[in-house]
Amino acid sequence: MTRRYFGTDGIRGQSNVFPMTPDLAMRVGIAVGTIFRRGNHRHRVVIGKDTRLSGYMLENALVAGFTAAGLDVFLLGPIPTPAVAMLTRSLRADIGVMISASHNPFEDNGIKLFGPDGYKLSDELELEIEDLLDKDIYAQLAKPHEIGRAKRVDGDIYRYIEFVKRTLPRDVTLNGLRIAIDCANGAAYKVAPTALWELGADVVTIGNAPNGTNINLDCGSTSPDALRRKVHEVRADIGIALDGDADRVIIVDEHGQIIDGDQLMAVIAESWLDDETLRGGGIVATVMSNLGLERFLKKKGLNLARTKVGDRYVVEHMRNHNFNVGGEQSGHIVLSDFGTTGDGLVAALQVLARVKRLGQPVSEVCRRFEPVPQLLKNVRFSGGKPLEDIIVRQAIESAEAELGKKGRLVIRPSGTEPLIRVMAEGDDRAQIERIVNDLIGVISNVRSAA
């Protein structure tokens, strides 16, 4: 069934442009409230957000929808996505909502939904919501005496800070470490520096002055150059870059070199293997993860299970096959011993624990394998289905045949932006660059002709 509203990570788009309008947000509140209004107890929903200007607008619209559907609303204010998932369970809420477009620029926003177990909703539930959104939803409104209440509970961010601190092994403190952290002017600008400082670190913070329009702007996990400069300036032992809603993390070592999610998963998997706490016989990652990670794990006797792009698919495979480490190259790291979704801060603490236990620099601890040359480029399109064009299909088949078993080719539409992503990897860098550039050219020509 074709989706009209939901992508790979909730509903997302440009603010004040369909579907990211207050009208649709209110309808989402009514539809979701209707579906999760089960039983005769007082139903509740928790709503968190990042620091985007449009968060105020969407927050109020969602409150109107949920209260109209008869749910009580707890407003958490700016708080990381994983905190919303955790507090949904902790507060025994029926639904959790995060208003965020993650790593996207401030002009975009999104609505992420969590069930009472703290996990993102299934495809089936999302389709049920979409079906309701296209109907006369106002027939579902609560009776006057059943209308919900709303209240702000900003203090609950400290529940999340304490939760994060407890994920660090008891035999480890961060004493003696100088940590530079970039909060991306986003949802973790309060909680992340506080948690690290309380664990004993000397903390230097950037990206902690949100103004509504500077989230992810030349900062955070997608733009780590500012953090690299800060690490060099203050001679930090490590740099931690979160994204706008703090479900991603990228590390910068003491030399200013970037360490991506694939390397971080390798570090954590090796650490947990040594501690005999790794489950599933390996880890779960997406088709975008580097072939070098797969080869590294194989030498350790571990498997790499690959899924479609999107942390929800990683989590689904982890749950179905008893894995407890998974994630994406982009820095979504899911550690199911601690949470139900990607958590940049918790993942960073696991890496820090390994650094402290080994007593080695971050550059040594976090370089677990040599990445296979990989190139990813994007092609923007405004309509149509370029990947279904016969010329594009023939070009893809030719490229796959050329790579054979010596590399991989992944071509897919983005689930959050109007982009076609073209990725190739293999041992021959020149070949990879030529293949990607040729495919980009073919897709661009088809797009232009359309």
Coordinates of all heavy atoms in Angstrom, one line a residue, residues 6-84:
F6 N 3.7 8.9 5.9 CA 4.8 8.4 6.6 C 5.9 8.0 5.7 O 5.7 7.4 4.6 CB 4.4 7.1 7.5 CG 3.6 7.5 8.7 CD1 2.2 7.5 8.7 CD2 4.2 7.7 9.9 CE1 1.5 7.8 9.8 CE2 3.5 8.0 11.0 CZ 2.1 8.0 11.0
G7 N 7.2 8.3 6.2 CA 8.4 7.9 5.5 C 9.1 6.9 6.3 O 8.4 6.1 7.1
T8 N 10.4 6.8 6.2 CA 11.2 5.8 7.0 C 11.3 6.2 8.4 O 11.6 5.4 9.3 CB 12.6 5.6 6.4 OG1 13.2 6.9 6.4 CG2 12.5 5.1 5.0
D9 N 11.0 7.5 8.8 CA 11.1 7.9 10.2 C 10.0 8.9 10.5 O 10.3 10.1 10.7 CB 12.5 8.5 10.4 CG 12.9 8.6 11.9 OD1 12.2 8.0 12.7 OD2 13.8 9.3 12.2
G10 N 8.8 8.4 10.5 CA 7.7 9.2 10.8 C 7.2 10.1 9.7 O 7.5 9.8 8.5
I11 N 6.5 11.2 10.0 CA 6.1 12.1 9.0 C 7.0 13.3 9.0 O 7.4 13.8 10.0 CB 4.7 12.6 9.3 CG1 3.7 11.5 9.5 CG2 4.2 13.6 8.3 CD1 2.3 11.8 10.0
R12 N 7.5 13.7 7.8 CA 8.5 14.7 7.7 C 8.3 15.6 6.5 O 7.9 15.1 5.5 CB 9.9 14.1 7.8 CG 11.0 15.1 7.9 CD 12.4 14.5 8.0 NE 12.5 13.6 9.2 CZ 13.7 13.1 9.6 NH1 14.8 13.3 8.9 NH2 13.7 12.3 10.6
G13 N 8.7 16.9 6.6 CA 8.6 17.8 5.4 C 8.9 19.2 5.8 O 9.3 19.5 7.0
Q14 N 8.8 20.1 4.9 CA 9.1 21.5 5.2 C 8.0 22.1 6.0 O 6.8 21.9 5.8 CB 9.2 22.3 3.9 CG 9.7 23.7 4.1 CD 10.0 24.4 2.8 OE1 10.2 23.8 1.8 NE2 10.0 25.7 2.8
S15 N 8.4 22.8 7.0 CA 7.4 23.4 8.0 C 6.4 24.3 7.2 O 6.8 25.1 6.4 CB 8.1 24.2 9.1 OG 9.0 23.4 9.7
N16 N 5.1 24.2 7.6 CA 4.1 25.0 7.0 C 3.8 24.7 5.6 O 3.1 25.5 4.9 CB 4.3 26.5 7.2 CG 3.4 27.1 8.3 OD1 2.6 26.5 8.9 ND2 3.6 28.4 8.5
V17 N 4.3 23.6 5.1 CA 4.0 23.1 3.8 C 3.5 21.6 4.0 O 4.1 20.9 4.8 CB 5.2 23.1 2.9 CG1 4.9 22.5 1.5 CG2 5.7 24.5 2.7
F18 N 2.4 21.3 3.3 CA 1.9 19.9 3.5 C 3.0 18.9 3.3 O 3.7 19.0 2.4 CB 0.8 19.7 2.5 CG 0.1 18.3 2.6 CD1 -1.0 18.2 3.5 CD2 0.5 17.3 1.9 CE1 -1.6 16.9 3.7 CE2 -0.1 16.0 2.0 CZ -1.2 15.9 2.9
P19 N 3.1 17.9 4.2 CA 2.2 17.6 5.3 C 2.6 18.2 6.7 O 1.9 17.9 7.7 CB 2.3 16.0 5.4 CG 3.7 15.8 5.0 CD 4.1 16.8 4.0
M20 N 3.6 19.0 6.7 CA 4.0 19.6 8.0 C 3.3 20.9 8.3 O 3.8 21.9 8.5 CB 5.5 19.8 8.0 CG 6.4 18.7 8.4 SD 6.0 18.2 10.1 CE 5.1 16.7 9.8
T21 N 1.9 20.8 8.4 CA 1.1 21.9 8.7 C 0.4 21.7 10.0 O 0.2 20.5 10.5 CB 0.0 22.1 7.6 OG1 -0.8 20.9 7.6 CG2 0.6 22.3 6.2
P22 N 0.0 22.8 10.7 CA -0.7 22.6 12.0 C -2.0 21.8 11.8 O -2.4 21.1 12.7 CB -0.9 24.0 12.5 CG -0.7 24.9 11.3 CD 0.2 24.2 10.4
D23 N -2.6 22.0 10.7 CA -3.9 21.3 10.5 C -3.7 19.7 10.5 O -4.4 19.0 11.2 CB -4.5 21.7 9.2 CG -5.8 20.8 8.8 OD1 -6.8 20.9 9.5 OD2 -5.7 20.1 7.8
L24 N -2.6 19.3 9.7 CA -2.4 17.9 9.7 C -1.9 17.4 11.1 O -2.2 16.3 11.5 CB -1.4 17.5 8.6 CG -1.2 16.0 8.5 CD1 -2.4 15.4 7.8 CD2 0.1 15.6 7.8
A25 N -1.1 18.2 11.8 CA -0.6 17.8 13.1 C -1.7 17.6 14.0 O -1.7 16.6 14.8 CB 0.4 18.8 13.6
M26 N -2.7 18.4 14.0 CA -3.9 18.3 14.8 C -4.6 17.0 14.5 O -5.1 16.2 15.4 CB -4.8 19.5 14.7 CG -6.0 19.4 15.7 SD -7.1 20.9 15.6 CE -7.7 20.7 14.0
R27 N -4.7 16.7 13.2 CA -5.4 15.5 12.7 C -4.7 14.3 13.2 O -5.3 13.2 13.5 CB -5.6 15.5 11.2 CG -6.6 16.6 10.8 CD -6.7 16.7 9.2 NE -7.2 15.5 8.6 CZ -8.5 15.2 8.5 NH1 -9.4 16.1 8.9 NH2 -8.9 14.1 7.9
V28 N -3.3 14.4 13.1 CA -2.5 13.2 13.6 C -2.8 13.0 15.1 O -3.0 11.8 15.5 CB -1.0 13.5 13.4 CG1 -0.1 12.5 14.2 CG2 -0.6 13.5 11.9
G29 N -2.9 14.0 15.9 CA -3.2 13.9 17.3 C -4.6 13.2 17.5 O -4.7 12.3 18.3
I30 N -5.5 13.6 16.7 CA -6.9 13.0 16.9 C -6.8 11.5 16.4 O -7.3 10.6 17.1 CB -7.9 13.7 16.0 CG1 -8.1 15.2 16.6 CG2 -9.3 13.0 16.1 CD1 -8.9 16.1 15.7
A31 N -6.2 11.2 15.3 CA -6.1 9.9 14.7 C -5.4 8.9 15.7 O -5.8 7.8 16.0 CB -5.5 9.9 13.3
V32 N -4.2 9.4 16.1 CA -3.4 8.5 17.0 C -4.1 8.4 18.3 O -4.1 7.3 18.9 CB -2.0 9.1 17.1 CG1 -1.2 8.3 18.2 CG2 -1.2 9.2 15.8
G33 N -4.6 9.4 18.8 CA -5.3 9.4 20.1 C -6.5 8.4 20.0 O -6.8 7.6 21.0
T34 N -7.2 8.4 18.9 CA -8.3 7.5 18.7 C -7.9 6.0 18.7 O -8.5 5.2 19.4 CB -9.0 7.8 17.4 OG1 -9.6 9.1 17.4 CG2 -10.2 6.8 17.1
I35 N -6.8 5.7 18.0 CA -6.3 4.4 17.9 C -5.8 3.8 19.2 O -6.0 2.7 19.6 CB -5.2 4.3 16.8 CG1 -5.8 4.5 15.4 CG2 -4.5 3.0 16.9 CD1 -4.8 4.6 14.3
F36 N -5.1 4.7 20.0 CA -4.5 4.3 21.3 C -5.4 4.5 22.5 O -5.0 4.2 23.6 CB -3.2 5.0 21.5 CG -2.1 4.3 20.7 CD1 -1.9 4.7 19.4 CD2 -1.3 3.4 21.2 CE1 -0.8 4.2 18.6 CE2 -0.3 2.8 20.5 CZ 0.0 3.2 19.2
R37 N -6.6 4.9 22.2 CA -7.6 5.1 23.3 C -8.3 3.8 23.6 O -9.4 3.5 23.1 CB -8.6 6.2 23.0 CG -9.4 6.8 24.1 CD -10.2 8.0 23.7 NE -11.2 7.6 22.6 CZ -11.6 8.4 21.7 NH1 -11.2 9.7 21.6 NH2 -12.4 8.0 20.7
R38 N -7.6 3.0 24.4 CA -8.1 1.6 24.6 C -8.3 1.4 26.1 O -7.4 1.7 26.9 CB -7.2 0.6 24.0 CG -7.0 0.7 22.5 CD -5.7 0.0 22.1 NE -5.5 0.1 20.6 CZ -4.4 -0.2 20.0 NH1 -3.3 -0.6 20.7 NH2 -4.3 -0.1 18.7
G39 N -9.4 0.8 26.5 CA -9.6 0.6 28.0 C -10.3 1.8 28.6 O -10.6 2.8 27.9
N40 N -10.5 1.8 29.9 CA -11.3 2.8 30.6 C -10.4 3.7 31.5 O -10.9 4.3 32.4 CB -12.5 2.2 31.4 CG -12.0 1.2 32.4 OD1 -10.8 1.0 32.6 ND2 -12.9 0.5 33.0
H41 N -9.0 3.6 31.3 CA -8.2 4.4 32.2 C -8.0 5.8 31.6 O -8.4 6.0 30.4 CB -6.8 3.7 32.3 CG -6.1 3.6 31.0 ND1 -6.3 2.6 30.1 CD2 -5.0 4.3 30.5 CE1 -5.5 2.6 29.1 NE2 -4.7 3.7 29.3
R42 N -7.4 6.7 32.3 CA -7.0 8.0 31.8 C -5.8 7.8 30.8 O -4.8 7.4 31.3 CB -6.7 9.0 32.8 CG -7.9 9.5 33.6 CD -8.9 10.3 32.8 NE -8.4 11.5 32.1 CZ -9.1 12.2 31.3 NH1 -10.3 11.9 31.1 NH2 -8.5 13.3 30.7
H43 N -6.0 8.1 29.6 CA -5.0 7.9 28.6 C -4.0 9.1 28.6 O -4.5 10.3 28.8 CB -5.5 7.7 27.2 CG -6.4 6.4 27.1 ND1 -7.7 6.4 27.5 CD2 -6.0 5.2 26.6 CE1 -8.1 5.1 27.3 NE2 -7.2 4.4 26.8
R44 N -2.7 8.9 28.4 CA -1.8 10.0 28.4 C -0.8 9.8 27.2 O -0.5 8.7 26.8 CB -1.0 10.0 29.7 CG -0.4 8.7 30.1 CD 0.5 8.9 31.4 NE -0.2 9.4 32.5 CZ 0.3 9.6 33.7 NH1 1.6 9.3 33.9 NH2 -0.4 10.1 34.7
V45 N -0.3 11.0 26.8 CA 0.7 11.0 25.7 C 1.8 12.0 26.2 O 1.5 13.0 26.9 CB 0.1 11.5 24.4 CG1 -0.6 12.8 24.6 CG2 1.2 11.7 23.3
V46 N 3.1 11.6 25.9 CA 4.2 12.5 26.2 C 4.7 13.1 24.9 O 4.8 12.4 23.9 CB 5.3 11.8 26.9 CG1 4.9 11.4 28.3 CG2 5.9 10.7 26.1
I47 N 5.0 14.4 24.8 CA 5.4 15.1 23.6 C 6.7 15.8 23.9 O 6.8 16.6 24.8 CB 4.4 16.1 23.1 CG1 3.0 15.4 22.8 CG2 4.9 16.8 21.9 CD1 2.0 16.3 22.3
G48 N 7.8 15.4 23.2 CA 9.0 16.1 23.2 C 9.3 16.8 21.9 O 8.6 16.6 20.9
K49 N 10.3 17.7 21.9 CA 10.6 18.4 20.6 C 12.1 18.7 20.6 O 12.7 18.7 21.7 CB 9.7 19.6 20.4 CG 9.9 20.7 21.5 CD 9.0 21.9 21.3 CE 9.2 22.9 22.4 NZ 8.4 24.1 22.1
D50 N 12.6 19.1 19.4 CA 13.9 19.7 19.4 C 13.8 21.2 19.5 O 12.8 21.7 20.0 CB 14.7 19.2 18.2 CG 14.1 19.5 16.8 OD1 13.4 20.5 16.8 OD2 14.4 18.8 15.9
T51 N 14.7 21.9 18.9 CA 14.7 23.4 19.1 C 14.3 24.2 17.9 O 14.6 25.4 17.8 CB 16.1 23.8 19.5 OG1 17.1 23.4 18.5 CG2 16.5 23.2 20.9
R52 N 13.6 23.6 16.9 CA 13.2 24.3 15.7 C 12.1 25.3 16.0 O 11.2 25.0 16.9 CB 12.7 23.3 14.7 CG 13.8 22.4 14.1 CD 13.2 21.2 13.4 NE 14.1 20.1 13.5 CZ 15.1 19.8 12.6 NH1 15.2 20.6 11.5 NH2 15.9 18.9 12.8
L53 N 12.1 26.4 15.3 CA 11.1 27.4 15.5 C 9.7 26.9 15.3 O 8.8 27.2 16.0 CB 11.4 28.5 14.5 CG 10.4 29.7 14.5 CD1 10.5 30.5 15.8 CD2 10.8 30.7 13.4
S54 N 9.6 26.0 14.3 CA 8.2 25.4 14.0 C 7.8 24.4 15.1 O 6.6 24.0 15.0 CB 8.2 24.7 12.7 OG 9.2 23.7 12.6
G55 N 8.6 24.1 16.0 CA 8.2 23.2 17.1 C 7.1 23.7 17.9 O 6.2 22.9 18.4
Y56 N 7.1 25.0 18.2 CA 6.0 25.6 18.9 C 4.6 25.4 18.2 O 3.6 25.0 18.9 CB 6.2 27.1 19.1 CG 7.4 27.5 19.9 CD1 8.6 27.8 19.3 CD2 7.4 27.4 21.3 CE1 9.8 28.1 20.1 CE2 8.5 27.8 22.1 CZ 9.7 28.1 21.4 OH 10.8 28.4 22.2
M57 N 4.6 25.7 17.0 CA 3.4 25.5 16.2 C 2.9 24.1 16.2 O 1.7 23.9 16.5 CB 3.7 26.0 14.7 CG 2.6 25.8 13.7 SD 3.1 26.2 12.1 CE 4.1 24.8 11.7
L58 N 3.8 23.2 15.9 CA 3.3 21.8 15.8 C 3.0 21.2 17.2 O 2.0 20.4 17.3 CB 4.4 20.9 15.1 CG 4.7 21.3 13.7 CD1 5.9 20.5 13.2 CD2 3.5 21.0 12.8
E59 N 3.7 21.6 18.2 CA 3.4 21.2 19.5 C 2.0 21.5 19.9 O 1.2 20.7 20.4 CB 4.4 21.8 20.5 CG 4.2 21.4 22.0 CD 5.2 22.1 22.8 OE1 5.3 23.3 22.8 OE2 6.0 21.4 23.6
N60 N 1.6 22.8 19.7 CA 0.3 23.2 20.1 C -0.8 22.5 19.3 O -1.9 22.2 19.8 CB 0.2 24.8 19.9 CG 0.9 25.5 21.1 OD1 0.7 25.2 22.2 ND2 1.7 26.5 20.7
A61 N -0.5 22.3 18.0 CA -1.5 21.6 17.2 C -1.7 20.2 17.6 O -2.8 19.7 17.7 CB -1.0 21.7 15.7
L62 N -0.6 19.5 18.0 CA -0.7 18.1 18.5 C -1.5 18.1 19.8 O -2.3 17.2 20.0 CB 0.7 17.5 18.6 CG 1.4 17.1 17.4 CD1 2.8 16.9 17.6 CD2 0.7 15.8 16.8
V63 N -1.2 19.1 20.7 CA -1.9 19.1 21.9 C -3.4 19.3 21.7 O -4.2 18.6 22.3 CB -1.4 20.3 22.8 CG1 -2.4 20.6 24.0 CG2 0.0 20.0 23.3
A64 N -3.8 20.1 20.8 CA -5.2 20.3 20.4 C -5.8 19.0 20.0 O -6.9 18.6 20.4 CB -5.4 21.4 19.4
G65 N -5.1 18.2 19.1 CA -5.6 17.0 18.6 C -5.7 15.9 19.7 O -6.8 15.2 19.8
F66 N -4.7 15.7 20.5 CA -4.7 14.7 21.5 C -5.7 15.0 22.6 O -6.5 14.1 23.0 CB -3.3 14.5 22.1 CG -2.4 13.7 21.3 CD1 -1.2 14.3 20.7 CD2 -2.6 12.4 21.0 CE1 -0.4 13.5 20.0 CE2 -1.8 11.6 20.3 CZ -0.6 12.2 19.7
T67 N -5.8 16.2 23.0 CA -6.8 16.5 24.0 C -8.2 16.4 23.5 O -9.1 16.0 24.2 CB -6.6 17.9 24.6 OG1 -6.6 18.9 23.6 CG2 -5.3 18.0 25.4
A68 N -8.4 16.8 22.2 CA -9.7 16.6 21.6 C -10.1 15.1 21.5 O -11.3 14.8 21.5 CB -9.7 17.2 20.2
A69 N -9.1 14.3 21.4 CA -9.4 12.8 21.3 C -9.5 12.2 22.7 O -9.8 11.0 22.9 CB -8.2 12.1 20.6
G70 N -9.3 13.0 23.8 CA -9.5 12.6 25.1 C -8.3 12.1 25.9 O -8.4 11.5 26.9
L71 N -7.1 12.5 25.4 CA -5.9 12.1 26.1 C -5.3 13.2 26.9 O -5.4 14.4 26.4 CB -4.8 11.6 25.0 CG -4.9 10.2 24.6 CD1 -6.1 10.0 23.6 CD2 -3.6 9.7 23.8
D72 N -4.7 12.9 28.0 CA -3.9 13.9 28.8 C -2.5 14.0 28.2 O -1.9 13.0 27.8 CB -3.8 13.5 30.2 CG -5.2 13.6 30.9 OD1 -6.1 14.3 30.5 OD2 -5.4 12.8 31.9
V73 N -2.0 15.2 28.1 CA -0.7 15.5 27.4 C 0.3 16.0 28.4 O 0.0 16.9 29.2 CB -0.9 16.5 26.3 CG1 0.4 16.8 25.6 CG2 -2.0 16.1 25.3
F74 N 1.5 15.4 28.4 CA 2.6 15.8 29.2 C 3.6 16.4 28.2 O 4.2 15.7 27.4 CB 3.2 14.7 30.0 CG 2.3 14.1 31.0 CD1 1.2 13.3 30.7 CD2 2.5 14.5 32.3 CE1 0.4 12.8 31.7 CE2 1.6 14.0 33.3 CZ 0.6 13.2 33.0
L75 N 3.9 17.7 28.3 CA 4.9 18.4 27.4 C 6.2 18.4 28.0 O 6.5 19.0 29.1 CB 4.4 19.8 27.1 CG 3.0 19.9 26.4 CD1 2.5 21.3 26.4 CD2 3.2 19.4 25.0
L76 N 7.2 17.8 27.4 CA 8.5 17.6 27.9 C 9.5 18.8 27.5 O 10.6 18.9 28.1 CB 9.1 16.3 27.4 CG 8.3 15.0 27.7 CD1 9.0 13.8 27.1 CD2 8.2 14.8 29.2
G77 N 9.1 19.5 26.5 CA 10.0 20.6 26.0 C 11.1 20.0 25.2 O 11.1 18.9 24.8
P78 N 12.2 20.8 25.0 CA 13.3 20.3 24.2 C 14.0 19.1 24.9 O 14.5 19.3 26.1 CB 14.3 21.5 24.1 CG 13.4 22.7 24.3 CD 12.4 22.2 25.3
I79 N 14.1 18.0 24.3 CA 14.6 16.8 24.9 C 15.0 15.8 23.8 O 14.3 15.8 22.7 CB 13.6 16.2 25.8 CG1 14.2 15.1 26.8 CG2 12.4 15.6 25.1 CD1 13.3 14.7 27.9
P80 N 16.0 15.0 23.9 CA 16.4 14.0 22.8 C 15.3 13.0 22.5 O 14.5 12.6 23.4 CB 17.6 13.3 23.4 CG 18.2 14.3 24.4 CD 17.0 15.0 25.0
T81 N 15.3 12.5 21.3 CA 14.3 11.5 20.9 C 14.4 10.3 21.8 O 13.4 9.8 22.2 CB 14.6 11.1 19.4 OG1 14.2 12.2 18.5 CG2 13.9 9.8 19.0
P82 N 15.6 9.7 22.1 CA 15.6 8.5 22.9 C 15.0 8.8 24.3 O 14.5 7.9 25.0 CB 17.1 8.2 23.0 CG 17.8 9.4 22.6 CD 17.0 10.1 21.6
A83 N 15.1 10.1 24.8 CA 14.5 10.4 26.1 C 12.9 10.3 26.0 O 12.3 9.8 26.9 CB 14.9 11.8 26.5
V84 N 12.4 10.7 24.9 CA 10.9 10.5 24.7 C 10.5 9.0 24.7 O 9.6 8.6 25.4 CB 10.5 11.2 23.3 CG1 9.0 10.8 23.1 CG2 10.7 12.7 23.4

